Amino acid sequence: MTRVAREVGTDGKLGGQAEVPDVAGTWKDLTDNVNFMASNLTGQVRNIAEVATAIATGDFQRRYVDVRGEILQLKETLHDGRAVAFVRG
């Protein structure tokens, strides 16, 4: 789990999953929750990257699927008319 936390949280390597063989109880719950968190963050960041790339290439139709929290603030900033006007020049 330390590896996943470092890869996703510090190194920016998305998609990592913790693998703890023969784990049960609280440790299994913790492992599952770390994997869920990493997967959720990975999905949101990849979605933001796809939309930012689309905007940078002039495709202003691309929209986000499911973002929450601070990632939602980033989405709203990218979809703000001023950000689109800046990209269009």
Side-chain angles (χ1 to χ4, degrees):
M1 285 185 282
T2 301
R3 175 189 54 83
V4 173
R6 184 186 67 251
E7 286 178 359
V8 175
T10 304
D11 298 343
K13 295 179 183 176
L14 302 176
Q17 294 285 287
E19 297 175 18
V20 183
D22 302 320
V23 69
T26 301
W27 282 105
K28 178 165 180 7
D29 292 343
L30 180 59
T31 302
D32 291 346
N33 285 323
V34 165
N35 286 338
F36 178 77
M37 178 193 64
S39 178
N40 188 13
L41 180 61
T42 294
Q44 290 189 63
V45 170
R46 285 181 176 163
N47 190 253
I48 290 283
E50 289 174 10
V51 174
T53 299
I55 290 171
T57 60
D59 177 2
F60 301 100
Q61 303 305 311
R62 184 80 169 88
R63 294 289 186 234
Y64 302 89
V65 177
D66 183 26
V67 293
R68 294 171 295 284
E70 291 179 45
I71 303 287
L72 178 60
Q73 292 174 336
L74 180 56
K75 168 199 156 184
E76 290 169 352
T77 298
L78 284 174
H79 282 273
D80 183 296
R82 291 171 293 181
V84 171
F86 174 77
V87 171
R88 287 184 177 164

